Amino acid sequence: MRTDDINQMGLGTRAVHAGQQPDPTTGAVMTPIYQTSTYAQAAPGNHQGYEYGRLSNPTRSALEGNLAGLEGAEHGICFSSGVAATDAIARCLRPGDHILASNDLYGGTYRLFRQVLGPFGVDSDFVDMSDVSRVEQALKPETKLLWIETPTNPLVRVVDIRALAELAHSKGISVAVDNTFATPALQRPITLGADLVVHSTTKYLGGHSDVIGGAVCTNSDEWAEKLRFLVKSTGAVPGPMDCFLTLRGTKTLEVRMQRHCSNAQAVAEFLEADPRVARVYYPGLPSFEGHSLAQRQMDGFGGMVSFLLSDDSMEAAYRVLSSTRVFTLAESLGGVESLMNHPATMTHASIPAKERHAAGLHDALIRLSVGIETEADLLRDLDRALSKA
Ligand SMILES: *Cc1c(COP(=O)(O)O)cnc(C)c1O
């Protein structure tokens, strides 16, 4: 299928076909794993578009085309991990520049901005972006990048991408959205005005908890050129096997996300109705603050649910966290299997307690990545674990 045909088609079709053609030499329908570091040239400089594996690789190119197709972007650029993708964007800033980011975000992004970029003179601040006026107040003349995560991690707050992109662009600030939680199946930030979409493909895009990867998608030729230069110069590239696995994952993205969403909705409603639970954080609940914005901005509410027990002691949370049989206690998210995580000691431990508390992240909060197992088994598992609280 031709690229311009595919881009007119639905998400499920793009997930399966974008970026991929039958292999030109053998007709292989699945993109081969091009396990090679270098490529033969007919004469110096006369090659078929590939010179050396750090610069590009056909398996990686197929994945890049696929991700760009899913996000509705001109360019897709793959990295060895989500944080490598974030790092590449941040490296385009200069000493004296300032990043304004969501205060409820992936812990590794906070660590990268504060502990790695800070000493190079790139400052960062973190605000609650679900409130546009707070973002406006926190902008500085030096702000060059707005870093949005929505839904946020782990409180799943919903942030108005369109409103923030308009605000940022009126001041010449670039906008990056970490779309890892929603995926392009549920939310396409570029169509809402973002300049850059970032992914940890390790999560829902790969979808099977068997590969680490990252990507940036953009419509800006200028950003794409800068990022490709960084890929070449700093070398955080994914291997061909990793690209193959991720590409296999993205083919089923739409159907997996439908099931993640329906299971998460059932889990959130079950928890909300249970007296042993004090508070449930899920954009699909009509009682949740970001619900109507999520309805406008997203095509589904995602697979991430957080909650607080009525007994909000650490001891009670620990008993629940160690009592499930279907949910596995582990970091990460977005795989077909259900995971349970304790942000304060696991994924968000790199954020100082004072800042976590200021952002509304309770020490006893439990975060769920709801998988695609049978709904009744997930509810029964949670019911039994809650009885241990
Ligand atoms: C996991 C994650 C990252 C970092 O990605 P890695 O692939 O682990 O480097 C960034 N953002 C979000 C929202 C994540 O969940």
Side-chain angles (χ1 to χ4, degrees), residues 348-361:
H348 291 65
S350 57
I351 301 178
K354 210 170 128 233
E355 304 223 10
R356 284 202 312 264
H357 299 157
L361 204 173

Side-chain angles (χ1 to χ4, degrees), residues 65-81:
N66 186 253
L67 297 177
L70 285 170
E71 287 289 359
E74 286 290 319
H75 309 279
I77 299 145
C78 285
F79 294 86
S80 53
S81 69

Side-chain angles (χ1 to χ4, degrees), residues 53-56 60 78-81 84 231-232 234-239 242:
R54 174 157 33 79
L55 281 55
S56 54
R60 198 197 319 164
C78 285
F79 294 86
S80 53
S81 69
V231 165
K232 178 167 78 177
T234 66
V237 296
D242 290 352

Side-chain angles (χ1 to χ4, degrees), residues 107 321 328-332 340-350:
L321 285 158
T328 302
L329 180 61
E331 300 212 5
S332 200
M340 203 176 218
N341 163 59
H342 181 231
T345 57
M346 296 167 69
T347 46
H348 291 65
S350 57

Side-chain angles (χ1 to χ4, degrees), residues 81-84 106 109 149 153 178 180-181 200 202-203 212-213 333:
S81 69
V83 293
Y106 180 66
T109 304
E149 226 182 89
N153 181 2
D178 183 334
T180 300
F181 267 36
S200 168
T202 311
K203 315 295 167 53
I212 299 281
L333 60 111

